[in-house]
Amino acid sequence: MIELSQKLMSEFAEGVILPPNDAKQFTYDIYGFSDTPCLFLARPTSTEEVSKLLKFCHAKAIPLVPQGGNTNVCRMAIPTGTTQAGILSLARMNRIEGLDVEAATVTVQAGCVIQTVQDAALDEGLLFAPDWGARGSATVGGAVSTNGGGLNVLRYGTTREQVLGLEVVLPDGRVWNGLRSLTKDNSGYDLKHLFIGAEGSLGVITRIVFRLHSAPTFHRSMMVALSDLTRLTDLMGLARRKAGRLLSAVELLPSLGMKMAFNRYPALKRPFETDAPWCVLIRLSDTGEVENTLLELFEEGLVHGIFTDGVLAQSVAQERNLWEIREQMMPHQYFPDREMLKWDVSVPVSRIANFISQADDLVRSNCPGAIPYAVSHLGDGNVHYSAFANPAEPGFAEMKQRTLQLIDELVWSFGGSVVAEHGVGSLFIDRIRGQKPGVEYELQQALKRLLDPANLMNPGKLISG
Amino acid sequence: MIELSQKLMSEFAEGVILPPNDAKQFTYDIYGFSDTPCLFLARPTSTEEVSKLLKFCHAKAIPLVPQGGNTNVCRMAIPTGTTQAGILSLARMNRIEGLDVEAATVTVQAGCVIQTVQDAALDEGLLFAPDWGARGSATVGGAVSTNGGGLNVLRYGTTREQVLGLEVVLPDGRVWNGLRSLTKDNSGYDLKHLFIGAEGSLGVITRIVFRLHSAPTFHRSMMVALSDLTRLTDLMGLARRKAGRLLSAVELLPSLGMKMAFNRYPALKRPFETDAPWCVLIRLSDTGEVENTLLELFEEGLVHGIFTDGVLAQSVAQERNLWEIREQMMPHQYFPDREMLKWDVSVPVSRIANFISQADDLVRSNCPGAIPYAVSHLGDGNVHYSAFANPAEPGFAEMKQRTLQLIDELVWSFGGSVVAEHGVGSLFIDRIRGQKPGVEYELQQALKRLLDPANLMNPGKLISG
């Protein structure tokens, strides 16, 4: 295998190919997990080099694992299993090629870091919507390949909805230049959607045209105590009716998380004294004032008994404090001697409350002593559901497996997905089978075979052969 | 062929299958054009009947042309060419199956008329975004199959962006139930995008889950005289910066169109006396007041010399009058003895002004005596470009062909599309070839072969085999 990397080194410019020993760090994921050594690390600097590499690997049937910022949590961007593969890092293709202010579009190389694009856009009063915690290291190519969700989905949609055009190197090394920046183009099948969210399994995304948005300059939040979880749908209806497109965040916070945050971070200010089982944090954003709309929303929610208490941020400091509460909810720190079972699921927005209460019942009856926990991006139906289970309970291993399976099935019975925004990777490749009708899985497999018949692109991720 | 329809009639419930003689009207398009008789007309009332029909046709290699409201202008929904086909009308699958107010989603059968869904949504304070002139007869299945554009694209995107889930009957009769209503679901290739905009060439869409939006209740428009076409990009930048997501329409109107409208419809009120070569109609919409933002936009445009004149609607009547001007611009009535060459193109938003002036030059130098004309939905880069040519000119036929070809090439040199929102159908199937790189066309053909190897679904439309 050293021979292979040496052969490749002789084919490419200096620094493009590294041998396995110099590439070990690239085989570890964000949690420090590593499974399989790599054959080599390729760090091309242009589409032409990516194409040349894929042609080489196609001819010799060498699998490749594309990698961006390597911040994925589903073992998507590292070699896994028994297949020996090279790693293709896009990190050196990191330039913004052009920002068209009037058209509000930007053309970017795949290895560019999300925050770099955000900053460049903001300099022009524009907003690049993909945004989540790893913004400082995750790349735009990874964002597109995983259809990243994050903080702005309610207002702007997922990463998919930001993409106007793509350049993709196909598994045989041919380059498809689909770098369009058109909103309206009904001239054939919209191929870009094949590659968005494909986790690198159908080709390598090298360049992207994104749409940008007017950056809102006014933000105002409020936190309210929900009178009862069953009033969630009333709250969402009210928020949508009163605030509509001004809504930029609607976050559901559990009492346990609030308490833990105040205990651990005494600098946080309690927004109100009422100790409600559930609180909701709502933010409106716009290019003009949003205060009056927020006030109307607040008053109407009180009048209709949806909230029992609440507070509107009156200053930037108060605004920051409300969001700090949300950010300081760190469930993995709550019970160090418990095992945290975790789900990143989505269900229809109108069924969130129902889902949480049924999931809680299910956890309590199948996992004695476990403490259920949920936070939710209410606006897009995304529930980060957890249970703090006691590994000292007799029969814990079976109990855990059963609970995982039962919650998955509950999600499906709600028409939901057990893979909401983090992707499938190699971690969920088996678990996802139960979610798809046979026809759909077969169609997916047929698409994979059509584009990558030798299964060379990120094998063992997203879809089984 | 009568035998075939009789055989089918015996297989299905009464009224589902009509013989060719009773189906003639379905072979005519909206312009009264008809090319090829049909083998039969099928009018199923359920997904099961559609599936049964497709299984039958698959076994016997009988092509099918799916048809919704039959309002398409590219010969997409009628049999064309030498292939004998049955017509599959979805018109009797026209029910709204469920409207989830809290989640702001609606599940609809494909044959439901657009306006029916709009009205049902509006009853709940919600907006169904697909909207264009044919709203009273075009169906939602057709809207999805053509990725319909229309009046709301700037604010809400095309029909594609309204679709959350689909049910599709595949060419072999298998049913794919992808009727999800999730915003976040990263569990595999997003198959729905294959069928959206596929013009029925990969399967038959039978049911759809759409997202709905909060219906804006405040609308306010202004019309301004543009100081010069080259200031268009400044105008778009200003509008985006000041009004951002409040923008619901930005329409470019030529002097000729304005004059013709005032001459023909004396009830229309002239918004101002300035006779500018180009005017722009801008509308803001929201769930709250938009007047102040519009006023700021107006004042800043004047201060920077982007407008030379303009007026803000001060009442519902004035608002209506401004839009009436736009709607009474009917270019096909302008010069009855001229031939109107027409394009429905899109170019990047920042290049619209440049495109129009180069296209005008090209028309003037290649088509002596022709009068160029353009209106544009500025916000989404869509230009309805025309030239009123004189068919009495010597060598008119060649002149016309050359002009058509040269404008197509100009569009492509701008990174644009000659098929913006109307679709390809059979009318553009050859002309579109020049727009796509070879790799892209081959990928499209491979997808068509994968899903419809016998070429039974709407043959001769969208893509050649």
Side-chain angles (χ1 to χ4, degrees), chain A residues 78-338:
Chain A
I78 54 167
T80 55
T82 54
T83 311
Q84 294 269 293
I87 297 176
L88 165 51
S89 165
L90 280 300
R92 296 207 300 170
M93 288 187 64
N94 58 4
R95 283 194 312 113
I96 294 178
E97 297 191 341
L99 199 156
D100 182 339
V101 177
E102 290 79 21
T105 61
V106 63
T107 306
V108 195
Q109 294 182 341
C112 189
V113 166
I114 287 173
Q115 194 163 0
T116 306
V117 187
Q118 287 176 343
D119 291 349
L122 211 54
D123 282 348
E124 304 291 349
L126 294 167
L127 178 132
F128 177 60
D131 189 41
W132 51 87
R135 66 183 71 82
S137 44
T139 63
V140 294
V144 174
S145 289
T146 59
N147 182 28
L151 305 176
N152 284 327
V153 174
L154 172 59
R155 195 170 164 90
Y156 303 104
T158 63
T159 299
R160 181 183 299 278
E161 290 169 74
Q162 317 311 318
V163 177
L164 290 171
L166 285 183
E167 179 185 75
V168 178
V169 182
L170 301 175
D172 59 10
R174 285 183 302 166
V175 178
W176 169 50
N177 183 334
L179 286 173
R180 304 188 185 100
S181 60
L182 304 172
T183 303
K184 287 185 178 174
D185 177 18
N186 283 337
S187 58
Y189 307 137
D190 199 340
L191 295 183
K192 65 175 180 285
H193 289 291
L194 266 181
F195 301 100
I196 299 171
E199 304 187 358
S201 66
L202 299 178
V204 178
I205 294 170
T206 42
R207 292 194 289 166
I208 305 141
V209 184
F210 290 105
R211 79 173 84 223
L212 301 170
H213 306 271
S214 313
T217 40
F218 293 81
H219 304 276
R220 191 57 65 100
S221 302
M222 68 178 187
M223 193 179 281
V224 294
L226 202 60
S227 60
D228 189 277
L229 191 60
T230 58
R231 300 301 298 271
L232 256 193
T233 50
D234 293 336
L235 168 64
M236 290 306 293
L238 173 65
R240 199 166 265 125
R241 212 162 54 244
K242 296 300 286 186
R245 292 165 74 79
L246 301 182
L247 284 170
S248 61
V250 189
E251 300 284 312
L252 179 70
L253 316 178
S255 160
L256 173 63
M258 300 275 285
K259 270 183 205 141
M260 290 284 192
F262 293 125
N263 288 347
R264 281 173 168 260
Y265 308 95
L268 286 180
K269 287 192 186 66
R270 222 171 262 278
F272 38 70
E273 284 311 309
T274 303
D275 177 21
W278 298 95
C279 289
V280 179
L281 178 57
I282 298 180
R283 188 181 60 208
L284 306 190
S285 304
D286 199 15
T287 46
E289 274 297 351
V290 294
E291 209 170 333
N292 288 340
T293 310
L294 193 65
L295 191 61
E296 284 172 27
L297 174 55
F298 182 72
E299 287 170 350
E300 199 164 322
L302 279 180
V303 166
H304 288 93
I306 300 173
F307 322 142
T308 55
D309 202 348
V311 62
L312 270 79
Q314 299 292 344
S315 66
V316 173
Q318 286 181 23
E319 176 81 22
R320 202 172 289 154
N321 181 66
L322 290 184
W323 279 93
E324 204 61 23
I325 297 169
R326 170 72 185 84
E327 269 153 43
Q328 294 304 344
M329 292 174 59
M330 309 233 171
H332 57 278
Q333 302 177 345
Y334 292 172
F335 305 101
D337 49 359
R338 295 247 169 165

Side-chain angles (χ1 to χ4, degrees), chain B residues 354-367:
Chain B
N354 231 324
F355 166 75
I356 291 176
S357 61
Q358 290 192 34
D360 285 359
D361 289 348
L362 201 149
V363 163
R364 288 201 189 92
S365 58
N366 284 279
C367 222

Side-chain angles (χ1 to χ4, degrees), chain A residues 268-452:
Chain A
L268 286 180
K269 287 192 186 66
R270 222 171 262 278
F272 38 70
E273 284 311 309
T274 303
D275 177 21
W278 298 95
C279 289
V280 179
L281 178 57
I282 298 180
R283 188 181 60 208
L284 306 190
S285 304
D286 199 15
T287 46
E289 274 297 351
V290 294
E291 209 170 333
N292 288 340
T293 310
L294 193 65
L295 191 61
E296 284 172 27
L297 174 55
F298 182 72
E299 287 170 350
E300 199 164 322
L302 279 180
V303 166
H304 288 93
I306 300 173
F307 322 142
T308 55
D309 202 348
V311 62
L312 270 79
Q314 299 292 344
S315 66
V316 173
Q318 286 181 23
E319 176 81 22
R320 202 172 289 154
N321 181 66
L322 290 184
W323 279 93
E324 204 61 23
I325 297 169
R326 170 72 185 84
E327 269 153 43
Q328 294 304 344
M329 292 174 59
M330 309 233 171
H332 57 278
Q333 302 177 345
Y334 292 172
F335 305 101
D337 49 359
R338 295 247 169 165
E339 184 170 333
M340 192 178 169
L341 314 186
K342 285 186 290 189
W343 291 263
D344 161 37
V345 312
S346 62
V347 294
V349 172
S350 53
R351 308 186 73 184
I352 294 174
N354 231 325
F355 166 75
I356 292 176
S357 62
Q358 290 193 33
D360 286 359
D361 290 348
L362 199 150
V363 163
R364 288 198 190 95
S365 57
N366 285 279
C367 221
I371 302 162
Y373 182 86
V375 292
S376 169
H377 311 298
L378 286 174
D380 48 42
N382 193 186
V383 183
H384 295 292
Y385 190 80
S386 325
F388 301 100
N390 184 355
E393 284 281 334
F396 176 73
E398 299 79 50
M399 214 157 77
K400 174 180 158 181
Q401 270 319 308
R402 190 175 61 234
T403 309
L404 286 173
Q405 179 66 27
L406 286 171
I407 296 282
D408 281 5
E409 286 168 10
L410 182 69
V411 171
W412 297 332
S413 76
F414 273 81
S417 173
V418 298
V419 174
E421 59 178 0
H422 294 162
V424 177
S426 59
L427 211 52
F428 285 88
I429 193 167
D430 295 321
R431 206 160 136 190
I432 208 70
R433 287 298 291 256
Q435 186 167 313
K436 305 261 172 195
V439 172
E440 181 169 346
Y441 208 80
E442 286 162 33
L443 262 178
Q444 292 197 142
Q445 290 175 316
L447 286 169
K448 169 73 174 170
R449 278 194 304 272
L450 178 73
L451 274 100
D452 182 23

Side-chain angles (χ1 to χ4, degrees), chain B residues 98-317:
Chain B
L99 200 158
D100 182 340
V101 178
E102 291 79 20
T105 61
V106 63
T107 305
V108 194
Q109 294 183 341
C112 189
V113 166
I114 288 174
Q115 194 163 1
T116 305
V117 187
Q118 289 177 342
D119 291 348
L122 211 54
D123 282 348
E124 304 291 349
L126 295 166
L127 179 132
F128 178 59
D131 189 40
W132 50 87
R135 66 183 72 80
S137 43
T139 62
V140 294
V144 174
S145 290
T146 59
N147 183 26
L151 305 175
N152 284 328
V153 174
L154 171 60
R155 195 170 164 93
Y156 303 103
T158 61
T159 300
R160 181 182 299 278
E161 291 171 71
Q162 317 312 319
V163 177
L164 290 172
L166 284 183
E167 178 184 76
V168 179
V169 181
L170 301 175
D172 59 10
R174 285 183 302 165
V175 178
W176 169 51
N177 182 335
L179 284 174
R180 304 186 186 100
S181 61
L182 304 173
T183 303
K184 288 185 177 173
D185 177 19
N186 282 337
S187 58
Y189 308 136
D190 199 340
L191 295 183
K192 65 176 178 284
H193 290 291
L194 267 180
F195 302 99
I196 299 171
E199 304 187 358
S201 66
L202 300 178
V204 178
I205 294 170
T206 42
R207 292 193 290 165
I208 306 142
V209 184
F210 290 105
R211 79 173 83 224
L212 301 170
H213 306 271
S214 313
T217 39
F218 291 81
H219 305 275
R220 190 58 66 99
S221 302
M222 69 179 187
M223 193 178 280
V224 295
L226 203 59
S227 60
D228 190 277
L229 191 61
T230 59
R231 298 302 298 272
L232 254 194
T233 51
D234 294 335
L235 168 64
M236 289 306 293
L238 174 64
R240 200 166 263 126
R241 214 162 52 244
K242 296 299 285 188
R245 293 165 75 77
L246 300 183
L247 284 171
S248 61
V250 190
E251 300 284 313
L252 179 70
L253 315 178
S255 161
L256 174 62
M258 300 273 288
K259 270 183 207 140
M260 290 285 191
F262 293 125
N263 289 347
R264 282 174 168 259
Y265 308 94
L268 286 180
K269 286 193 187 64
R270 223 171 261 278
F272 38 70
E273 283 312 309
T274 303
D275 177 22
W278 298 94
C279 289
V280 179
L281 178 57
I282 298 180
R283 188 182 57 207
L284 308 189
S285 303
D286 198 15
T287 45
E289 273 297 352
V290 293
E291 209 170 334
N292 288 340
T293 310
L294 193 65
L295 191 62
E296 285 173 26
L297 174 55
F298 182 71
E299 286 171 350
E300 199 164 321
L302 279 179
V303 166
H304 288 93
I306 300 173
F307 322 142
T308 55
D309 202 348
V311 63
L312 271 78
Q314 300 292 344
S315 65
V316 173

